[in-house]
Amino acid sequence: MKKTHIILFALFALVSCQESIDKRLAREAEDYTRKNCPVTVGDNIVNDSMTYDSSNKTVCYHYTLSGILDTTFTEEQKKQVGQKMIEGLRNATNLNMYKENNISFSYIYHSLKDKNKIVFERTFTSKDYK
């Protein structure tokens, strides 16, 4: 009987200490930003931060564009970039935990010349990547 109580207590302790998916994603986004950002991810592209919004279950990547990319995208360019982004998202095995929990992904690209200007923005929901 005493052994059963110890096992039940241990199981309860393990379950009660687990953080929710929202808390975990918020913590991971904050940790990623603190440890890695800003980071250059390509020519004229810098990842400034990663955030998580639990109200709409969205991970958001914030970028700054400079040089030749720091311009207005045409509708055709937006379409092409969006298609490449969704292909990458579908193939990203490192995001499986996010995708299994139907997390949305948002990408916001700001201008280096004018930080208030959004050059390109796109959000993908689970309907897009599944």
Side-chain angles (χ1 to χ4, degrees):
M1 184 73 163
K2 187 175 182 180
K3 196 174 197 178
T4 305
H5 281 70
I6 292 171
I7 292 172
L8 288 174
F9 178 75
L11 286 174
F12 176 74
L14 285 174
V15 171
S16 64
C17 291
Q18 289 184 355
E19 68 186 332
S20 72
I21 188 72
D22 287 331
K23 286 184 181 178
R24 177 180 175 181
L25 295 178
R27 179 183 48 77
E28 287 180 359
E30 185 178 310
D31 289 347
Y32 176 84
T33 298
R34 188 179 66 257
K35 293 176 184 176
N36 301 299
C37 295
V39 62
T40 301
V41 294
D43 291 342
N44 303 307
I45 305 171
V46 173
N47 179 277
D48 298 312
S49 66
M50 175 182 168
T51 59
Y52 177 70
D53 183 350
S54 60
S55 68
N56 59 10
K57 304 241 183 248
T58 302
V59 170
C60 185
Y61 299 93
H62 303 269
Y63 296 92
T64 296
L65 299 176
S66 61
I68 194 165
L69 296 178
D70 192 353
T71 184
T72 304
F73 281 46
T74 66
E75 289 305 313
E76 182 60 28
Q77 288 170 322
K78 288 180 183 180
K79 183 178 177 183
Q80 289 174 357
V81 169
Q83 288 173 341
K84 288 189 185 286
M85 291 172 83
I86 193 64
E87 287 172 19
L89 188 56
R90 286 179 182 144
N91 295 325
T93 56
N94 62 321
L95 298 175
N96 283 348
M97 187 269 298
Y98 294 77
K99 295 187 286 189
E100 289 166 1
N101 285 282
N102 298 314
I103 302 300
S104 296
F105 297 87
S106 183
Y107 302 86
I108 301 174
Y109 294 84
H110 289 271
S111 164
L112 178 64
K113 294 180 224 170
D114 179 1
K115 286 287 191 182
N116 293 321
K117 178 182 176 189
I118 295 176
V119 177
F120 180 76
E121 182 176 11
R122 186 71 194 265
T123 300
F124 300 100
T125 66
S126 60
K127 291 177 187 175
D128 297 314
Y129 60 74
K130 286 191 176 183

